[in-house]
Amino acid sequence: MEIRTIGVVGAGQMGNGIAHVMALAGYEVALNDISREALDKAMATIRKNLDRQVSREKITQDELEVALARITTTQTLTDLGPSDLIIEAATEREAVKQAIFDELLPHLGPQTILTSNTSSISITRLASRTDRPEKFMGFHFMNPVPVMQLVELIRGIATDKDTFEACRAVVDKLGKTAASAEDFPAFIVNRILMPMINEAVYTLYEGVGNVQSIDQSLKLGANHPMGPLELADFIGLDTCLAIMNVLHDGLADTKYRPCPLLTKYVEAGWLGRKAGRGFYDYRGEEPVPTR
């Protein structure tokens, strides 16, 4: 099937990025959030990021205007029902995602493909609670969406070939690269990335190095563009902890045990950049290590 219209659930960091790239690629996009403020903020962010692309001569001013015109916003989730493809990009909590799909189900067209941008939750389990497990899969973008070139496509046990091929065609049209991942906890990227971040937190917790020395070591010693603690702050420490818990619970291996210090930061509400504090304090002109 050819996908022309796309519904995006959630107007946060991931959702606005997904809406941005989809509209720029020529899709009609309906962006949903329960908060009008979140939708207004998302559209402002999309405009700012498109302006940046114009200034770097990646796109023209005309392309910017046409892309913006392709995005409509709504606080009514069921408005997304007729879309050819729906991408859920809400918070990384399974109960929230399930409630979204439950509300959408009676309003979907027979052709509608359901997907989740989850970074770790079982696609098979999410799909099994819908009326179309064969038309359900994982559509996992990397952050920031307009910049990162990879999309993980995750098939549940029931996902059919036509659904996979339709989603892969969307990734191709975006000019991004699809990586096919099996439906095991955290898939490919986070299965490898999150234990590295968790180990960096253990290195801090055990006093092997401080925040600055750990990040500097990986940037200069392994040529990483960001240190692991800086990256954790960028992702959100609550998200990192949630993924480590999925790995620990799903694979029952102690090597995935979340570091107690990571748990402590989340309990304190020090969630990284979005909260103003994490492994760095972002409230001044320059980020300052908190340990």
Side-chain angles (χ1 to χ4, degrees), residues 12-34:
Q13 193 173 38
M14 297 303 293
N16 76 60
I18 294 167
H20 170 152
V21 298
M22 291 296 183
L24 202 53
Y27 294 103
E28 296 297 322
V29 180
L31 178 61
N32 162 262
D33 200 283
I34 56 173

Side-chain angles (χ1 to χ4, degrees), residues 56-127:
R56 294 176 179 174
E57 299 184 348
K58 302 282 187 184
I59 63 171
T60 66
Q61 187 66 33
D62 284 348
E63 287 172 323
L64 177 153
E65 300 297 344
V66 170
L68 281 176
R70 289 193 184 111
I71 304 172
T72 58
T73 61
T74 177
Q75 289 178 263
T76 305
L77 179 62
T78 53
D79 286 348
L80 274 53
S83 304
D84 296 327
L85 169 67
I86 293 176
I87 303 172
E88 171 275 313
T91 186
E92 193 68 355
R93 286 167 49 203
E94 188 166 349
V96 172
K97 295 178 185 296
Q98 194 55 60
I100 288 166
F101 292 126
D102 287 347
E103 187 175 344
L104 277 170
L105 286 178
H107 304 275
L108 300 179
Q111 85 289 357
T112 303
I113 293 172
L114 286 177
T115 67
S116 176
N117 184 58
T118 179
S119 51
S120 61
I121 295 167
S122 169
I123 297 302
T124 297
R125 193 165 62 240
L126 286 173

Side-chain angles (χ1 to χ4, degrees), residues 7-289:
V8 180
V9 184
Q13 193 173 38
M14 297 303 293
N16 76 60
I18 294 167
H20 170 152
V21 298
M22 291 296 183
L24 202 53
Y27 294 103
E28 296 297 322
V29 180
L31 178 61
N32 162 262
D33 200 283
I34 56 173
S35 161
R36 172 45 58 187
E37 183 183 358
L39 288 169
D40 292 343
K41 184 178 176 184
M43 291 306 297
T45 299
I46 292 168
R47 177 84 199 214
K48 182 182 74 176
N49 289 336
L50 286 167
D51 280 335
R52 186 181 293 121
Q53 288 179 296
V54 171
S55 69
R56 294 176 179 174
E57 299 184 348
K58 302 282 187 184
I59 63 171
T60 66
Q61 187 66 33
D62 284 348
E63 287 172 323
L64 177 153
E65 300 297 344
V66 170
L68 281 176
R70 289 193 184 111
I71 304 172
T72 58
T73 61
T74 177
Q75 289 178 263
T76 305
L77 179 62
T78 53
D79 286 348
L80 274 53
S83 304
D84 296 327
L85 169 67
I86 293 176
I87 303 172
E88 171 275 313
T91 186
E92 193 68 355
R93 286 167 49 203
E94 188 166 349
V96 172
K97 295 178 185 296
Q98 194 55 60
I100 288 166
F101 292 126
D102 287 347
E103 187 175 344
L104 277 170
L105 286 178
H107 304 275
L108 300 179
Q111 85 289 357
T112 303
I113 293 172
L114 286 177
T115 67
S116 176
N117 184 58
T118 179
S119 51
S120 61
I121 295 167
S122 169
I123 297 302
T124 297
R125 193 165 62 240
L126 286 173
S128 71
R129 296 169 187 166
T130 73
D131 64 352
R132 59 194 68 209
E134 72 287 347
K135 286 184 173 292
F136 193 110
M137 64 182 297
F139 208 125
H140 181 216
F141 287 85
M142 306 297 126
N143 185 31
V145 178
V147 175
M148 301 296 278
Q149 290 301 301
L150 186 77
V151 180
E152 281 184 314
L153 293 179
I154 306 103
R155 279 176 281 208
I157 198 168
T159 307
D160 65 25
K161 183 180 178 183
D162 288 346
T163 298
F164 178 80
E165 293 300 339
C167 289
R168 185 160 66 179
V170 172
V171 177
D172 290 343
K173 191 171 176 180
L174 295 177
K176 296 186 184 294
T177 299
S180 178
E182 294 303 313
D183 186 24
F184 289 97
F187 321 130
I188 296 172
V189 173
N190 283 317
R191 172 77 175 262
I192 297 166
L193 176 64
M194 285 302 157
M196 183 198 77
I197 287 174
N198 194 52
E199 196 61 31
V201 183
Y202 266 114
T203 306
L204 179 65
Y205 177 62
E206 293 168 5
V208 179
N210 59 28
V211 168
Q212 187 173 19
S213 64
I214 291 166
D215 276 351
Q216 195 173 52
S217 294
L218 268 292
K219 283 195 282 191
L220 301 181
N223 208 26
H224 289 192
M226 296 173 74
L229 301 175
E230 182 186 5
L231 180 56
D233 275 357
F234 180 74
I235 294 166
L237 303 193
D238 51 340
T239 300
C240 294
L241 180 60
I243 296 170
M244 286 309 302
N245 280 325
V246 166
L247 281 166
H248 192 229
D249 295 345
L251 298 171
D253 191 324
T254 55
K255 74 179 180 181
Y256 299 117
R257 182 171 69 97
C259 179
L261 184 60
L262 178 60
T263 303
K264 192 65 66 182
Y265 268 69
V266 172
E267 288 174 346
W270 292 19
L271 306 181
R273 283 179 181 265
K274 62 186 176 185
R277 272 191 296 192
F279 293 113
Y280 293 84
D281 189 328
Y282 299 92
R283 295 173 298 173
E285 288 186 16
E286 294 290 332
V288 178

